Amino acid sequence: MSKRKQSADSEAAPRRCSRRTQPAPVPNICHAPVLSDFTADGSEHDARDVLSSLALGDAHDLPSHAQHTAEHCTPYALWNAAEVVLERALPPPAFIDIKVNKTGMSAGLSMQRLLDRRDAVRFLRDLDLRATPVQVHGRGKHGPILLKALQSGVLLVGGTVGMTTYHSVHDDNKGVPKSWAGVRIPGVMREGHSFVVVGSANVTDHGRSLVVRDSQVEDVFGINGCAILPLSDFEGELGECFVLARA
């Protein structure tokens, strides 16, 4: 075959295009009652708008119960989570005043240890709820683990986070857009903490984020007792996770 003909044949041959399958957009999701729905699609929403749409907090007769000591976040997280799942207020559980170590490496209480207690087992049984553990260690990046688990229900999460939010009494509010109100500040007052994840949203300026119900005083933290936790700020900080749902 002549070089000329070979060249012509090569030019006539169809080119194969490499088409990579684009990942499907992550949908917004919320297991808490809402005033306006931000979960219709995966579009962006301001943090303040997402948090203001939640029918949680004192203004909606579902106040976030503020822990009475710094070490009692875990029992309060379980109490707050159960109310979200059932969408009604509950009296203080029997385990809310349990003795918790306040100093040393064993300070605080893991969710697993709480769930192993008889009073916590009875609490879930009487409410017809079930807490299912999620494997987080050695399973890859934490973001996809949390988003997948969130499809099954409200999450009980333990990890290291900043304990304050933008546009709160702990923030000078300088140079930060008002739309950031309620976003956890990543590098301030970092502590090991247990909290409730009620949903996720694509948040403007912060990307895919968790919608968190916390156990802090509403007047000084977040909006409606809730906050936005960008997944990019939480990667590598997850310690434990459970899905709380109706049995």
Coordinates of all heavy atoms in Angstrom, one line a residue, residues 8 18 25 31 39 42 47 62 69 76 89 92 94 128 141 156 173 180-181 193 198 201 245:
A8 N -4.4 8.6 3.5 CA -5.8 8.9 3.3 C -6.7 8.1 4.1 O -7.7 8.5 4.6 CB -6.1 8.8 1.8
S18 N -12.4 9.7 24.1 CA -12.4 9.2 25.5 C -13.5 10.0 26.3 O -13.3 11.1 26.5 CB -11.0 9.3 26.1 OG -11.1 8.9 27.4
P25 N -24.6 14.2 40.4 CA -24.6 15.2 41.4 C -25.1 14.7 42.7 O -26.1 13.9 42.7 CB -25.4 16.4 40.9 CG -26.3 15.8 39.9 CD -25.5 14.7 39.3
H31 N -33.4 15.1 57.0 CA -34.3 14.3 57.8 C -35.1 15.1 58.8 O -35.9 14.5 59.5 CB -33.5 13.2 58.4 CG -32.9 12.2 57.5 ND1 -33.6 11.4 56.6 CD2 -31.5 12.0 57.2 CE1 -32.8 10.7 55.9 NE2 -31.5 11.0 56.2
T39 N -34.1 20.7 49.4 CA -33.6 19.4 48.9 C -34.2 19.0 47.5 O -34.0 17.9 47.1 CB -34.0 18.3 49.9 OG1 -35.5 18.1 49.9 CG2 -33.5 18.6 51.3
G42 N -29.7 19.4 43.7 CA -28.4 19.6 44.3 C -27.9 21.0 44.2 O -26.7 21.2 44.3
A47 N -25.6 29.3 53.4 CA -25.7 28.6 54.7 C -26.9 29.1 55.6 O -27.6 28.4 56.2 CB -24.4 28.7 55.4
L62 N -39.0 22.7 69.2 CA -38.0 21.6 69.3 C -36.6 22.2 69.6 O -35.7 22.1 68.8 CB -38.0 20.9 68.0 CG -39.0 19.8 67.8 CD1 -38.9 19.2 66.4 CD2 -38.9 18.7 68.8
T69 N -22.6 20.1 80.9 CA -21.1 20.2 81.1 C -20.5 19.9 79.8 O -21.1 19.4 78.8 CB -20.6 19.1 82.1 OG1 -20.6 17.8 81.4 CG2 -21.4 19.0 83.4
Y76 N -26.4 14.1 75.2 CA -27.3 15.1 74.6 C -27.5 14.9 73.1 O -28.6 15.2 72.6 CB -26.8 16.5 74.9 CG -27.1 17.0 76.3 CD1 -26.4 16.6 77.4 CD2 -28.3 17.8 76.5 CE1 -26.8 17.0 78.7 CE2 -28.6 18.2 77.7 CZ -27.9 17.8 78.8 OH -28.3 18.3 80.1
A89 N -40.9 16.6 70.8 CA -40.0 16.8 72.0 C -40.1 15.6 72.9 O -41.2 15.0 73.0 CB -40.5 18.1 72.7
P92 N -36.2 14.5 79.4 CA -34.8 14.1 79.5 C -34.7 12.6 79.8 O -35.4 12.0 80.6 CB -34.4 14.9 80.8 CG -35.3 16.0 80.8 CD -36.6 15.5 80.3
A94 N -33.0 9.0 81.0 CA -32.4 8.6 82.3 C -30.9 8.7 82.3 O -30.3 8.9 83.4 CB -32.8 7.1 82.6
D128 N -38.9 2.7 70.0 CA -38.9 1.9 68.7 C -37.9 2.5 67.8 O -38.1 2.7 66.6 CB -40.3 1.9 68.1 CG -40.5 0.7 67.1 OD1 -39.7 -0.3 67.3 OD2 -41.3 0.8 66.2
K141 N -12.1 7.8 52.3 CA -12.4 9.2 52.7 C -13.7 9.2 53.5 O -14.7 8.5 53.2 CB -12.5 10.1 51.5 CG -11.1 10.4 50.9 CD -11.2 11.5 49.8 CE -9.8 11.8 49.3 NZ -9.9 12.9 48.3
L156 N -25.5 9.9 64.2 CA -24.9 10.3 65.4 C -23.4 10.2 65.1 O -22.8 9.2 64.8 CB -25.2 9.3 66.5 CG -26.7 9.2 67.0 CD1 -26.9 7.9 67.7 CD2 -27.0 10.4 67.9
N173 N -17.0 38.7 63.3 CA -17.8 39.0 62.1 C -17.2 39.9 61.1 O -17.9 40.4 60.2 CB -19.2 39.6 62.6 CG -19.9 38.7 63.6 OD1 -19.8 37.5 63.5 ND2 -20.6 39.3 64.5
W180 N -22.7 33.5 55.5 CA -21.9 32.5 56.1 C -22.4 32.2 57.6 O -21.9 31.4 58.3 CB -20.5 32.8 56.2 CG -19.7 32.7 54.9 CD1 -20.3 32.8 53.6 CD2 -18.3 32.5 54.7 NE1 -19.3 32.7 52.7 CE2 -18.1 32.5 53.3 CE3 -17.3 32.4 55.6 CZ2 -16.8 32.4 52.8 CZ3 -16.0 32.2 55.1 CH2 -15.8 32.2 53.7
A181 N -23.4 32.9 58.0 CA -23.9 32.8 59.4 C -24.3 31.3 59.7 O -25.0 30.7 58.9 CB -25.1 33.7 59.6
H193 N -16.0 16.0 69.8 CA -17.4 16.4 70.1 C -18.3 15.4 69.5 O -18.0 14.8 68.4 CB -17.6 17.8 69.5 CG -19.0 18.4 69.8 ND1 -19.4 18.5 71.1 CD2 -19.9 18.9 69.1 CE1 -20.6 19.0 71.1 NE2 -20.9 19.3 69.9
V198 N -28.3 16.0 60.5 CA -29.7 15.8 60.0 C -29.8 15.9 58.5 O -30.9 15.6 57.9 CB -30.7 16.8 60.7 CG1 -30.6 16.7 62.2 CG2 -30.3 18.3 60.2
A201 N -26.1 19.5 52.3 CA -26.5 20.5 51.3 C -25.3 21.0 50.6 O -24.2 21.0 51.1 CB -27.2 21.7 52.0
A245 N -32.5 5.5 63.3 CA -33.8 5.4 62.5 C -34.8 4.6 63.3 O -34.5 4.0 64.3 CB -33.5 4.8 61.2

